Amino acid sequence: CIDISQGGSHIISGGIDGQLKVARLSQDYTKANVISTLSFHNKRVNDLALVERKGLLVSCSSDKTAVIWGSEGETVSTSTLDYENLKARHVIKEHSKSVISCPVHPSQDYVATISSDGMWAMTDLAVGETAFTSSAGATTQCAAFHPDGLLVGLGCSDGIVRIWDFFQDAAAADLSIGKKGVSVTSLSFSNNGYYLAATGAEKVFLFDLRKQKVFNTFDLAASATSCCFDNSGFYLAAGDEKGAITTYYAKSKPFKKLATIHEQADAITGLKFGPNASCLAAASLDRTLTVYSI
């Protein structure tokens, strides 16, 4: 799993060894120098997210915990994230199963931690206190916030994307990828909230949320593991278990395939576009982190 700072100056990666690596990127994205290693988790890091407006980083792990990282002695109101001096400020221990996702609310005031049993907790980033917990009632593989902050998408093991309404604490819609028994492995909302990309089996499924149905699918050469829209909604990338990455232009109807890159030797575990889609970062089980300049 990976995340890139808004300015493209730093990249964070989480490994199967439980460690997080913080690296400084060169302006042309050709070099990445590790400046810090964060240790707390004792099992695989499943997800992470930068909260730059609060000067924080969140990570979650198969060890059933999530951690809110921040600079020692700094308040969460700081606008600068000190990448070289991050410490574990708060530990979220609300889960009894592996914590698979930690999407940050668009307000950047809360983080939702979701475990594999469908249980999720909303935690105040400033004080590390959990405001409330609930359950989606299904085995969950991935999660993502809708840009409006009112809904969260939960990718389930039964091929359903459950759209959960926080205010009603209930499912607002169940979207099917049309393949029973096939897990939804990743989710990504477009910046305007109209589209949702989901991966499962060897396909990328594109939902129009206004109509609540699939309007396009793309075939991959192997089982899909990750997908990501860029912040503008112009581009979409998808990775598979063999290490290939395919990119698409999302402003055409239908979406247009642009290119396939296959430089990594094992499954893609995370994808993230840099600012203005200037680069695409990919993490892989081959223990490499590659940044492609666009």
Side-chain angles (χ1 to χ4, degrees):
C1 52
I2 51 175
D3 202 0
I4 299 178
S5 63
Q6 292 180 358
S9 60
H10 292 80
I11 188 167
I12 320 289
S13 63
I16 59 175
D17 60 357
Q19 292 188 332
L20 290 87
K21 299 287 186 180
V22 183
R24 182 181 292 112
L25 293 172
S26 62
Q27 289 188 339
D28 60 1
Y29 304 118
T30 59
K31 295 180 181 179
N33 296 317
V34 175
I35 59 173
S36 179
T37 298
L38 308 180
S39 299
F40 180 91
H41 298 295
N42 55 39
K43 291 186 179 179
R44 174 177 177 157
V45 180
N46 293 318
D47 195 16
L48 61 88
L50 285 165
V51 196
E52 291 185 81
R53 196 162 61 198
K54 303 290 185 179
L56 300 172
L57 167 69
V58 184
S59 63
C60 65
S61 168
S62 294
D63 66 7
K64 306 176 186 178
T65 69
V67 177
I68 300 171
W69 305 83
S71 301
E72 196 169 19
E74 294 291 330
T75 65
V76 296
S77 61
T78 181
S79 59
T80 302
L81 201 159
D82 186 353
Y83 290 94
E84 297 187 41
N85 295 290
L86 292 172
K87 307 293 182 183
R89 295 174 64 107
H90 306 289
V91 181
I92 302 168
K93 298 181 178 180
E94 298 290 338
H95 301 275
S96 60
K97 299 291 183 180
S98 173
V99 186
I100 51 89
S101 190
C102 55
V104 173
H105 190 268
S107 68
Q108 296 200 2
D109 290 328
Y110 294 90
V111 61
T113 53
I114 298 100
S115 51
S116 59
D117 58 358
M119 184 266 186
W120 55 268
M122 280 287 281
T123 299
D124 187 323
L125 285 164
V127 294
E129 293 182 359
T130 298
F132 56 91
T133 63
S134 187
S135 176
T139 303
T140 308
Q141 305 292 320
C142 54
F145 268 111
H146 187 274
D148 68 6
L150 304 178
L151 305 170
V152 67
L154 305 171
C156 303
S157 61
D158 57 1
I160 297 294
V161 178
R162 182 153 292 169
I163 305 298
W164 197 264
D165 186 319
F166 277 116
F167 287 95
Q168 299 297 323
D169 193 19
D174 281 352
L175 310 177
S176 175
I177 63 173
K179 288 182 173 290
K180 291 184 179 180
V182 173
S183 294
V184 179
T185 54
S186 67
L187 297 173
S188 183
F189 288 97
S190 64
N191 67 325
N192 59 13
Y194 292 165
Y195 304 121
L196 171 66
T199 57
E202 295 84 23
K203 291 182 179 290
V204 181
F205 301 86
L206 297 171
F207 290 91
D208 187 327
L209 296 176
R210 296 163 294 183
K211 300 177 181 179
Q212 296 188 13
K213 67 177 185 180
V214 174
F215 71 93
N216 204 354
T217 61
F218 295 111
D219 292 322
L220 300 181
S223 293
T225 56
S226 184
C227 67
C228 179
F229 276 104
D230 81 300
N231 288 337
S232 71
F234 274 78
Y235 301 101
L236 172 69
D240 68 30
E241 67 176 3
K242 298 296 186 182
I245 303 164
T246 304
T247 55
Y248 307 89
Y249 181 63
K251 287 300 183 180
S252 62
K253 294 183 179 181
F255 286 18
K256 180 183 178 182
K257 179 179 176 180
L258 295 176
T260 297
I261 308 163
H262 198 168
E263 294 185 4
Q264 286 159 292
D266 209 335
I268 301 298
T269 57
L271 291 168
K272 186 73 175 182
F273 282 98
N276 302 314
S278 55
C279 68
L280 174 64
S284 170
L285 281 180
D286 67 3
R287 300 185 179 184
T288 65
L289 172 62
T290 305
V291 182
Y292 301 95
S293 182
I294 300 175

